[in-house]
Amino acid sequence: MTEPERRSHTPDTAASGIERALALVGGRWKLVILFHLFGGRVQRYSDLERLIPGISQKMLAQQLRQLEADGLVQRTVYPQVPPKVEYRLTEWGQALCPALDALLSWGERQPGGPRASHGRAVRSDT
Amino acid sequence: MTEPERRSHTPDTAASGIERALALVGGRWKLVILFHLFGGRVQRYSDLERLIPGISQKMLAQQLRQLEADGLVQRTVYPQVPPKVEYRLTEWGQALCPALDALLSWGERQPGGPRASHGRAVRSDT
DNA sequence: CAGTATCCCAGACGATACTG
DNA sequence: CAGTATCGTCTGGGATACTG
């Protein structure tokens, strides 16, 4: 049944652990940013701005700051006349990739599509 | 580097695919509910209410409805004098478990703890 | 170039009360 | 028992403008 961490997690600790993890990625633009950084890619602030149409500067900066504070991305500032800042993933950030991959695969395995099955008083006889 | 779906996903499609998946689980209580259902466990409405202290009836009902509409849980109504409703995971819902497990493991592999590393103007010479 | 600073709003969430 | 209905709150995110 592949229950997660049956060895050391109650339903509540497991849930909160995952919520904690999801919170790190929960921003409106975090995933898009991460996916532009996966695979060791390095991007400048302006690159990301260009790669992510529709994002505002406030949002880009904010999400990057949070990703940095949470240890997923590494920020590198070059003290130059026109400022230059690069963003790349940390080891740990890169390690998120397989987990997201699993989630993506699960999502795409979705059968049929969301159906509000009405729960037709079927008795428990299968 | 274990990039997710390098075969058929752009950063944007991958991100939106995962966002779609996360949205299904994104409610304040969805994960807790799911973890009380993983492993084939079947719970009545009142069971969940008891198992999840702090949740309001409105929230419990709402989150369950959404999980049902999204095809993660199966709702079974028994037309009896005192109503009886059971909730269990669908196959697809159960299949979420390993993916969440991966996420949980990743979260617990977190090194050091969140550090706002200041990005000390290191030049790109590695 | 690479950000900050304000203002504002929609939607998520919580508390409470009522019902078939 | 298993929900709905209603109301108030709070936060994430968008638009816009300004700066070292």
Side-chain angles (χ1 to χ4, degrees):
Chain A
M1 297 316 160
T2 327
E3 287 165 66
E5 312 304 316
R6 122 163 66 186
R7 47 192 176 280
S8 56
H9 281 289
T10 73
D12 304 273
T13 63
S16 72
I18 292 181
E19 269 159 27
R20 195 176 309 278
L22 288 183
L24 306 182
V25 163
R28 169 69 184 82
W29 302 98
K30 298 239 186 90
L31 286 173
V32 201
I33 294 172
L34 289 175
F35 275 100
H36 279 289
L37 256 26
F38 275 134
R41 286 195 297 273
V42 179
Q43 310 279 7
R44 298 182 55 168
Y45 182 90
S46 52
D47 293 332
L48 291 170
E49 213 173 345
R50 189 178 352 269
L51 288 167
I52 308 176
I55 196 173
S56 69
Q57 292 180 317
K58 166 193 167 182
M59 277 297 117
L60 180 53
Q62 180 189 97
Q63 309 281 290
L64 282 171
R65 293 278 186 240
Q66 293 179 7
L67 287 171
E68 186 199 1
D70 292 332
L72 283 108
V73 316
Q74 168 77 37
R75 181 170 179 259
T76 311
V77 181
Y78 299 86
Q80 301 177 352
V81 190
K84 177 182 174 183
V85 181
E86 284 181 348
Y87 296 91
R88 77 195 65 204
L89 289 180
T90 62
E91 282 291 319
W92 188 55
Q94 179 67 43
L96 220 200
C97 206
L100 293 184
D101 195 13
L103 213 47
L104 185 58
S105 302
W106 172 79
E108 290 174 342
R109 249 186 301 152
Q110 184 182 22
R115 290 247 139 255
S117 63
H118 208 306
R120 295 203 34 247
V122 58
R123 321 246 285 307
S124 49
D125 53 0
T126 315
Chain B
M1 296 306 170
T2 327
E3 287 165 66
E5 311 305 316
R6 122 164 64 188
R7 46 195 177 277
S8 57
H9 280 289
T10 73
D12 303 274
T13 62
S16 71
I18 292 181
E19 271 159 26
R20 195 175 309 278
L22 288 183
L24 306 182
V25 164
R28 170 70 184 83
W29 301 98
K30 298 242 186 89
L31 286 174
V32 201
I33 294 172
L34 289 175
F35 275 100
H36 279 290
L37 256 26
F38 275 134
R41 285 195 296 273
V42 179
Q43 309 279 9
R44 299 183 54 169
Y45 182 90
S46 52
D47 292 332
L48 292 170
E49 212 173 344
R50 188 179 354 270
L51 288 166
I52 308 176
I55 196 172
S56 69
Q57 292 181 317
K58 167 192 166 181
M59 276 298 120
L60 180 53
Q62 180 189 96
Q63 308 280 289
L64 282 171
R65 292 280 185 238
Q66 293 178 7
L67 288 171
E68 185 197 3
D70 291 333
L72 283 109
V73 318
Q74 168 78 38
R75 181 170 179 258
T76 311
V77 182
Y78 299 86
Q80 302 177 351
V81 189
K84 176 180 174 184
V85 181
E86 285 182 347
Y87 294 92
R88 76 196 66 204
L89 289 179
T90 62
E91 282 292 318
W92 187 56
Q94 180 66 43
L96 220 201
C97 205
L100 293 183
D101 195 13
L103 212 48
L104 185 58
S105 301
W106 173 79
E108 291 174 342
R109 249 185 300 151
Q110 183 181 22
R115 291 244 139 257
S117 63
H118 208 306
R120 295 200 36 245
V122 56
R123 317 249 286 305
S124 51
D125 53 1
T126 316

